[in-house]
Amino acid sequence: MSPRPTAGLAGTRHRPIVATNAERRAARDQVSATHQAQLAELLGRVGAAIDRYRTGEIDAYAMDETIHRYHRAAAELWKFCFARGGGTHAEFIADLLDRMTADAEAIDWWERATPRQHQ
């Protein structure tokens, strides 16, 4: 039986941080699956850029920037999924992913890795 959501700070709802080993494992599996799926999307962007580079549509500098952007996006994704380690972090992230899915929200990791414009 899954823990019942409880009211938290600012009226948000979350799972209590007490879970069974099976629930922790399920949370880790969910976070790992999300990480893998998001990495695949990021790699798809790199693959598309490689194709454009090979046909001469973009130059080596644009390809290099794509690779750097992928690296920044993948690092941010990893921090989101795993940086705090442990079972409670996986439970927290799994709960957050569930809420984002329910609210039809998503994080655009590629967009988050957009280089900042210096002014």
Side-chain angles (χ1 to χ4, degrees), residues 87-115:
T88 57
H89 181 71
E91 291 172 56
F92 173 78
I93 296 300
D95 183 53
L96 179 60
L97 292 169
D98 288 344
R99 286 186 281 139
M100 289 172 61
T101 299
D103 295 340
E105 295 178 10
I107 298 172
D108 185 341
W109 297 105
W110 191 257
E111 188 61 35
R112 281 192 172 206
T114 301

Side-chain angles (χ1 to χ4, degrees), residues 38-103:
Q38 293 296 311
L39 272 180
E41 284 187 29
L42 295 172
L43 287 168
R45 289 181 178 263
V46 173
I50 289 170
D51 291 342
R52 291 194 318 274
Y53 172 72
R54 287 182 176 153
T55 63
E57 186 180 334
I58 63 173
D59 63 12
Y61 294 110
M63 186 66 236
D64 185 58
E65 179 52 37
T66 299
I67 292 167
H68 286 289
R69 189 169 176 181
Y70 164 80
H71 185 263
R72 287 188 303 269
E76 289 300 314
L77 173 61
W78 185 88
K79 285 190 292 188
F80 174 78
C81 291
F82 305 116
R84 302 232 193 274
T88 57
H89 181 71
E91 291 172 56
F92 173 78
I93 296 300
D95 183 53
L96 179 60
L97 292 169
D98 288 344
R99 286 186 281 139
M100 289 172 61
T101 299
D103 295 340

